[in-house]
Amino acid sequence: MLIAQITDLHLGEPGVLGPAGIDPGEALAFGVARLNELEPRPDLVIVSGDLVERGTATEYRHLSDCISALQIPFVLMPGN
């Protein structure tokens, strides 16, 4: 079984830049696209750590929108 992991997304509201001036939503979209292109494709993706920045409903909707493009089964494992 091939497992990929992405961690500590710190996803904020759409369009909000992170501390390094990078949009975490764009970075996640890039990562999801690359995972979808992998050959061999992973059997599972674990998305772990700090998934969103503040825990708001808007951030979790944004996470759902971003991660829904993943064409590989995934599990969310929030934590610090």
Side-chain angles (χ1 to χ4, degrees), residues 16-70:
V16 174
L17 300 182
I22 296 170
D23 182 334
E26 288 182 9
L28 178 56
F30 179 83
V32 165
R34 294 303 162 263
L35 285 166
N36 287 337
E37 294 171 354
L38 286 176
E39 288 297 332
R41 181 174 274 189
D43 300 299
L44 177 70
V45 176
I46 298 172
V47 185
S48 65
D50 297 317
L51 304 179
V52 298
E53 188 62 27
R54 291 175 191 82
T56 67
T58 301
E59 290 175 339
Y60 280 108
R61 276 192 300 276
H62 187 40
L63 173 63
S64 178
D65 291 344
C66 291
I67 207 75
S68 68
L70 194 55

